[in-house]
Amino acid sequence: MLRQQDVGHRVVVRRIVGVSGDRTLFTDALGELVDLTETDLTLATDKGTLRVPLREVHRAKRVPAARRPHAAAVIALELAADEAWPAPVRGRLGGWLLRAADNWTGRANSALAVGDPDRPLEAAIDAVVKWYGERGQQPLINAPLPLAAPVNATLDERGWTSRPLTLVQTAPLTPMLATTARADLPPVDLADAAGDDWYAMVAEHKGTLPAAALTILNSVPDRVFAHVRDTDGGLLAVARGAVTGPDRLLGVSLVQTAPAARRRGLGAHVVRALAHWASQRGANRAYLQVEERNTAAVALYGRLGFSTHHTYLTREAPRD
């Protein structure tokens, strides 16, 4: 049977679906295990999310990943993403990064567990707890999968919980560049600075922006803020792009559309505009981070050519 340390990995589940005469009927499901509770397991399959009651599971096991990226590729992508979302308070634990930003976003307020922490794993986790405790913050660890599987297993044993699984997806820019902008959509304005209404739209989704948030959003040299407005100047959609890392990767973030303007293709419209901007700065690939449970966003990015490179879990220490 599956265990908590299998979350984030590719598994196959044989499920009991009925009985015909004296014969039990089964069906198999293959996908990524995204949640496991005392009563159910949840898979992300090619056909969508599937929840299976444990009472219906005949057999389940982990199987090799369909496309497992090299550890070096995962680390390089995570470091480029960290550079594009730079927490103002930082520390190091060997190869691990310690990050704090007034509790604004998990990415900027978690230890990134890539590389060697220069000490036994239990001692590294203790050091993370101490570092965040000194800053009055709940200790979080960002654990890329399957690279940080040993970290996850140890955190399971220590009672750390998991936030929803995040997909780290990548896509080539070339197909996006080949798409002609739709004539029926307003143009995308790209600026080095965000307007007040841009920040207000982001705050509706991400909460009030503290000073640390403004530092994160504005301290990357190659960054851009996308705005789409209607004919009256009202804001319809926003996004942020940043090009970082030795491979010049475009990081796409904060793609948001006003409720009244959804289902018009504006999300894809702003991502394509960011792709054109990034290609002029030497980028040929993009990445983004999206929660697996956000099925609408995952579908949008899939249409733009994004696929999952790896995943990560944000782990949270038990509260006293």
Side-chain angles (χ1 to χ4, degrees):
M1 182 53 71
L2 301 172
R3 298 172 294 173
Q4 282 296 326
Q5 49 263 50
D6 296 313
V7 172
H9 292 269
R10 189 174 170 86
V11 301
V12 62
V13 175
R14 174 153 290 187
R15 179 182 185 182
I16 301 170
V17 293
V19 177
S20 178
D22 59 353
R23 186 165 62 94
T24 303
L25 303 179
F26 303 99
T27 186
D28 291 340
L30 180 67
E32 189 170 82
L33 182 65
V34 298
D35 193 22
L36 180 63
T37 70
E38 294 181 356
T39 59
D40 303 270
L41 61 82
T42 305
L43 297 178
T45 74
D46 290 341
K47 297 180 180 179
T49 301
L50 174 67
R51 178 169 294 166
V52 181
L54 294 183
R55 66 177 182 275
E56 297 179 5
V57 176
H58 174 67
R59 187 176 302 163
K61 65 178 182 179
R62 191 190 299 188
V63 296
R67 295 182 296 111
R68 177 172 294 182
H70 294 298
V74 173
I75 292 172
L77 182 48
E78 287 292 336
L79 293 179
D82 173 74
E83 187 180 340
W85 202 260
V89 179
R90 306 174 70 83
R92 295 200 71 94
L93 198 64
W96 289 18
L97 298 178
L98 306 173
R99 307 171 294 186
D102 293 345
N103 286 311
W104 191 73
T105 73
R107 270 182 280 174
N109 291 277
S110 57
L112 178 59
V114 297
D116 183 354
D118 265 354
R119 64 203 70 197
L121 187 51
E122 291 280 2
I125 296 170
D126 289 340
V128 169
V129 171
K130 181 175 183 291
W131 194 85
Y132 283 98
E134 290 171 347
R135 288 157 181 81
Q137 292 192 202
Q138 183 69 5
L140 302 176
I141 293 180
N142 180 326
L145 298 169
L147 177 68
V151 177
N152 270 300
T154 303
L155 295 175
D156 286 338
E157 294 170 359
R158 294 176 62 141
W160 286 51
T161 56
S162 298
R163 293 184 178 181
L165 185 75
T166 298
L167 312 179
V168 181
Q169 300 195 316
T170 61
L173 294 187
T174 302
M176 289 183 250
L177 300 177
T179 304
T180 303
R182 284 173 42 186
D184 61 320
L185 294 178
V188 180
D189 295 323
L190 300 177
D192 293 337
D196 290 342
D197 53 356
W198 191 101
Y199 288 125
M201 182 175 284
V202 169
E204 290 176 3
H205 179 63
K206 290 290 188 181
T208 302
L209 275 60
L214 302 183
T215 298
I216 290 170
L217 296 174
N218 290 286
S219 61
V220 180
D222 281 338
R223 90 281 183 175
V224 73
F225 299 91
H227 305 69
V228 180
R229 301 183 183 278
D230 60 23
T231 54
D232 296 326
L235 196 58
L236 299 175
V238 300
R240 175 182 179 267
V243 174
T244 58
D247 294 329
R248 305 294 290 162
L249 296 172
L250 166 64
V252 176
S253 62
L254 302 175
V255 179
Q256 294 182 51
T257 304
R262 288 172 184 163
R263 298 187 178 276
R264 290 175 51 187
L266 291 171
H269 190 45
V270 294
V271 173
R272 291 190 182 102
L274 294 181
H276 282 275
W277 170 84
S279 69
Q280 298 170 1
R281 285 153 180 79
N284 56 33
R285 291 192 68 79
Y287 71 88
L288 52 81
Q289 297 153 321
V290 58
E291 286 189 3
E292 183 275 337
R293 65 181 180 177
N294 188 350
T295 54
V298 172
L300 163 65
Y301 299 136
R303 292 192 294 271
L304 287 167
F306 284 89
S307 61
T308 300
H309 182 271
H310 66 278
T311 64
Y312 71 75
L313 285 170
T314 299
R315 307 300 304 270
E316 186 169 350
R319 293 184 182 272
D320 296 334

